[in-house]
Amino acid sequence: MNSVEIRRFADTDWPGVWDVWHEVVAAGESYDNDPDSTEADARAHWLLAPPWEQWVAVEGGEVLGMYKTGPNKGRLGAHVANASFMVSSRARGRGLGRTLGEHCLDRARALGYTAMQFNAVVATNTVAVRLWRSLGFLIVGTIPDGFQSTKHGMVDFHIMHRYL
């Protein structure tokens, strides 16, 4: 991943972000967004206003992955970060998810968060579950049949947490 640059999202990155977002969401395996979501839906979901931040992983001008991070809850719960990650199929298996995850954890610490929580990690997304566990996240709860996978039917959602 030495040739990949991780930087703040810029408006010119949107076409690449949309490509990755559409690929991941349309698959119906890891995000609960409508697989037929429009580009406007994607913008509204991904480009949240500050204090949320969006970051992209770019190689040779191509967006290969991205994350967004911000507070998990409102004012009295805003010390716990939340984040969402997407990696293009063109970059899977190259360690980009780990690189983005580590970058995000460092960024959350720099922003003053004390912990990070993922509210909905699909249990059949074993690559993600294994990655987050290897980065120190614990499964603190499971929502039985909380996700309607297009491939597996009803599957569980995990709530994952770690202190920063």
Side-chain angles (χ1 to χ4, degrees), residues 121-132:
V121 180
V122 178
T124 53
N125 188 353
T126 57
V127 171
V129 173
R130 187 170 45 254
L131 170 62
W132 302 133

Side-chain angles (χ1 to χ4, degrees), residues 79-127:
H79 59 286
V80 176
N82 184 275
S84 297
F85 299 82
M86 293 188 183
V87 174
S88 167
S89 62
R90 297 178 309 281
R92 291 193 191 130
R94 295 177 48 196
L96 184 56
R98 174 172 297 280
T99 299
L100 286 169
E102 290 170 346
H103 188 277
C104 181
L105 290 169
D106 289 343
R107 186 67 190 143
R109 278 186 210 94
L111 291 169
Y113 292 104
T114 61
M116 184 168 285
Q117 177 176 321
F118 301 146
N119 298 320
V121 180
V122 178
T124 53
N125 188 353
T126 57
V127 171

